[in-house]
């Protein structure tokens, strides 16, 4: 027998009456709320950070991908932010987009997910569809979340529906956003999958249905593990190509001309952001926990990618030695300290490790980044230099860590005594590339 709430939420998901609460208004939740608001849905952004809520309701954005005018547009469309969990009681759909970091021992930290689920369970409206978008290990949705809702007396497929849909936000990507990036969805039951597909189809061009929530959870981890391992491959190749006097960038460009069977990945000073350094560990954790053996590809990739900051410092020492300068006491300018070009996000940026290692070896470290006015590491607290061209001339070594589009690399290279390019964007006889 169908529950009356199920009929109501199904009707609302199809028509314009749908009311959505997005739990977490960060890099994932806020763009998601924007897409829903633009599609005509009634959206409330739930966040426990009162400062974030105040900023949003005042029309100010705190993330790169949305401007203040974007937030003001959302408010005009009826969006509102709240720190009151009781807003869930009037929602037809609740989407959970809270952080899932790693704990001190490298294990998944799902306290935010569990806390959000318990709060939602206490205020659930009849027939509500709950979707988890936070990245996690396979089995979280049906092993952790489902029992939380059932413990409150809610019956799956009658009182509520539950699914997982991995976020695929790529900060700074001007080509692919929420609406034109296919949305993967898997429910803990077929009915939950069906309702989730109907929901996302309101504002996403293509929805991809998986067999269940575990397949959807694992798909996300496969995507980022694939990138993690292939980045490690080219990072390792970059090291031995340097020893063999082979230009790794030329090698990759040549290989990329093959129209099938190859996708170009590029070396760099290390991996950063919330996804690549973290997500593969969720998969590795679950393999070890459930099957009792390690995911060796992930472990090796982690080892290689984590070694890159030390490798950069070693190369910096060699370059200074070639100019009869010691690492200790040399002035080193870092260009670009974010984890990705053309955004201000510094999460897990390898620049932090590189700066601390240089400082520990006695270097006088400075930095420039047009997106980061002030920057702190474990050992440093710095303010960006005013002009990268002038600063390049004042330092013994310049290390390009992130090739922001605003950099005039020709002028910077000409001004610098030595420029070490870790992104392969410079050229010419004087270019010193990774």
């Amino acid at each position: 027998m169908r529950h009356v709430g199920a009929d109501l939420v199904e009707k609302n998901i199809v028509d314009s009456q749908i009311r959505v609460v997005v739990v977490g208004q960060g890099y994932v939740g806020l763009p998601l709320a924007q897409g829903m608001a633009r599609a005509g849905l009634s959206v409330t952004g739930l966040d426990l950070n009162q400062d974030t809520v105040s900023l949003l309701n005042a029309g100010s954005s705190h993330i790169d991908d949305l401007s203040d005018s974007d937030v003001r547009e959302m408010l005009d469309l009826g969006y509102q932010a709240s720190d009151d969990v009781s807003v869930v009681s009037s929602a037809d759909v609740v989407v959970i987009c809270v952080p899932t970091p790693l704990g001190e021992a490298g294990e998944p930290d799902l306290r935010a997910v569990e806390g959000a689920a318990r709060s939602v369970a206490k205020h659930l409206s009849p027939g509500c569809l709950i979707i988890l978008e936070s990245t996690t290990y396979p089995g979280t949705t049906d092993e952790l979340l489902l029992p939380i809702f059932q413990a409150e007396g809610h019956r799956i497929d009658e009182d509520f529906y539950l699914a997982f849909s991995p976020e695929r936000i790529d900060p700074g990507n001007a080509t692919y956003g929420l609406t034109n990036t296919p949305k993967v969805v898997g429910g803990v039951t077929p009915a939950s999958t069906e309702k989730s597909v109907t929901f996302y189809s309101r504002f996403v061009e293509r929805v991809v249905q998986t067999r269940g929530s575990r397949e959807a959870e694992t798909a996300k981890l496969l995507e980022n593990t694939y990138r993690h391992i292939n980045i490690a491959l080219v990072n390792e190749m970059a090291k031995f190509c340097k020893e063999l006097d082979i230009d790794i960038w030329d090698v990759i460009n040549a290989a990329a001309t093959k129209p099938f069977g190859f996708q170009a990945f590029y070396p760099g000073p290390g991996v950063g952001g919330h996804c690549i350094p973290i997500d593969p560990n969720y998969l590795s954790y679950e393999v070890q926990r459930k099957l009792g053996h390690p995911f060796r590809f992930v472990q090796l990739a982690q080892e290689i990618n984590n070694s890159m900051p030390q490798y950069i410092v070693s190369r910096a020492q060699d370059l200074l030695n070639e100019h009869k300068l010691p690492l200790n006491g040399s002035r080193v300018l870092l260009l670009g300290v974010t984890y990705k070009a053309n955004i201000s996000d510094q999460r897990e940026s390898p620049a932090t490790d590189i700066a601390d290692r240089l400082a520990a070896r006695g270097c006088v470290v400075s930095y420039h980044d047009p997106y980061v006015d002030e920057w702190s590491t474990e050992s440093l607290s710095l303010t960006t230099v005013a002009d990268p061209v002038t600063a390049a001339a004042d330092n013994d070594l310049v290390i390009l860590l992130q090739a922001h589009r605003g950099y005039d690399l020709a002028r910077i290279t000409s001004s610098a005594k030595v420029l070490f390019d870790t992104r392969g964007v410079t050229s010419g006889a004087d270019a010193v590339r990774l």
Side-chain angles (χ1 to χ4, degrees):
M1 184 177 75
R2 289 175 59 84
H3 193 281
V4 64
D7 294 327
L8 178 61
V9 76
E10 184 170 7
K11 175 180 182 296
N12 285 352
I13 286 175
V14 174
D15 65 29
S16 60
Q17 298 176 11
I18 184 170
R19 297 160 299 181
V20 186
V21 170
V22 181
V23 184
Q25 292 295 276
Y27 284 91
V28 177
L30 191 57
L32 183 63
Q34 180 194 39
M36 295 175 183
R38 285 179 169 175
L41 309 185
S42 174
V43 185
T44 300
L46 176 61
D47 200 293
L48 298 184
N49 188 316
Q50 294 180 351
D51 291 337
T52 297
V53 169
S54 297
L55 277 173
L56 292 172
N57 284 332
S60 296
S61 176
H62 62 292
I63 67 172
D64 289 310
D65 276 7
L66 270 69
S67 65
D68 290 350
S69 61
D70 289 327
V71 176
R72 289 194 293 270
E73 178 199 26
M74 292 169 63
L75 293 171
D76 290 341
L77 292 170
Y79 166 85
Q80 61 178 340
S82 175
D83 59 3
D84 183 358
V85 178
S86 67
V87 297
V88 169
S89 62
S90 61
D92 304 303
V93 180
V94 175
V95 186
I96 299 174
C97 306
V98 295
T100 51
L102 294 176
E104 292 184 1
E107 78 286 359
D109 182 353
L110 299 184
R111 286 177 295 179
V113 169
E114 186 173 356
R118 292 190 186 283
S119 296
V120 170
K122 292 182 182 301
H123 296 87
L124 205 61
S125 61
C128 186
L129 168 63
I130 303 107
I131 304 171
L132 176 64
E133 285 210 7
S134 304
T135 303
T136 184
Y137 59 82
T140 299
T141 308
D142 62 352
E143 292 180 358
L144 177 64
L145 265 63
L146 181 59
I148 289 175
F149 291 104
Q150 290 174 326
E152 293 290 331
H154 305 302
R155 296 163 296 178
I156 187 68
D157 287 352
E158 294 186 31
D159 300 316
F160 75 105
Y161 300 85
L162 179 62
F164 180 83
S165 179
E167 60 88 7
R168 283 174 158 178
I169 299 296
D170 184 19
N173 192 322
T175 303
Y176 290 103
L178 178 66
T179 59
N180 65 347
T181 300
K183 201 80 173 77
V184 171
V185 175
V188 299
T189 64
S192 295
T193 300
E194 180 184 352
K195 292 187 182 299
S196 300
V197 170
T198 302
F199 167 65
Y200 281 116
S201 296
R202 288 290 305 270
F203 54 92
V204 178
E205 293 173 6
R206 182 187 176 202
V207 180
V208 180
Q209 177 179 326
T210 61
R211 190 177 73 169
S213 58
R214 290 171 180 249
E215 285 75 18
E217 291 162 339
T218 309
K220 167 69 174 182
L221 299 181
L222 175 60
E223 293 171 14
N224 286 331
T225 300
Y226 170 80
R227 292 175 62 196
H228 187 50
I229 289 172
N230 279 281
I231 291 170
L233 170 65
V234 293
N235 277 336
E236 186 79 345
M237 288 192 69
K239 291 180 181 180
F240 72 68
C241 280
K242 170 64 172 61
E243 300 302 316
L244 297 174
D245 194 25
I246 297 171
D247 188 332
I248 182 63
W249 307 97
D250 196 41
V251 169
I252 295 171
N253 290 338
T257 62
K258 186 178 181 181
F260 54 89
F262 181 83
Q263 180 181 355
F265 286 82
Y266 299 93
V271 294
H274 182 264
C275 292
I276 304 303
I278 295 175
D279 292 359
N281 290 284
Y282 279 87
L283 192 52
S284 182
Y285 166 84
E286 186 68 355
V287 170
Q288 181 69 55
R289 184 172 76 100
K290 288 288 185 65
L291 304 180
H293 58 75
F295 191 168
R296 290 178 293 170
F297 266 121
V298 168
Q299 290 183 341
L300 181 58
Q302 195 83 348
E303 178 184 333
I304 293 170
N305 289 333
N306 287 347
S307 74
M308 292 308 292
Q310 175 56 43
Y311 178 71
I312 298 302
V313 173
S314 178
R315 286 286 302 275
Q317 181 176 21
D318 292 342
L319 287 169
L320 288 166
N321 285 343
E322 290 175 10
H323 291 78
K324 298 181 171 53
L325 291 172
L327 199 59
N328 189 3
S330 288
R331 295 170 58 85
V332 179
L333 172 67
L334 305 180
L335 294 182
V337 298
T338 58
Y339 88 86
K340 185 178 180 181
N342 309 315
I343 64 172
S344 63
D345 196 344
Q346 304 161 49
R347 290 177 295 174
E348 306 296 328
S349 172
T352 300
D353 192 7
I354 291 168
D356 283 335
R357 288 177 181 274
L358 288 169
R361 300 289 294 273
C363 288
V364 180
V365 180
S366 59
Y367 88 98
H368 179 272
D369 195 304
Y371 298 90
V372 183
D373 292 332
E374 295 181 349
W375 184 48
S376 296
T377 71
E378 188 174 308
S379 61
L380 300 168
S381 183
L382 302 169
T383 301
T384 183
V385 299
D387 177 37
V389 176
T390 302
D394 294 336
N395 281 267
D396 300 305
L397 175 65
V398 178
I399 305 178
L400 179 66
L401 297 178
Q402 204 56 265
H404 293 308
R405 67 169 65 95
Y407 284 145
D408 187 338
L409 293 177
R411 290 185 64 206
I412 292 173
T413 302
S414 176
S415 176
K417 299 179 179 72
V418 184
L419 186 139
F420 178 26
D421 172 14
T422 70
R423 295 295 178 177
V425 292
T426 58
S427 59
D430 295 331
V432 180
R433 301 192 292 181
L434 183 65

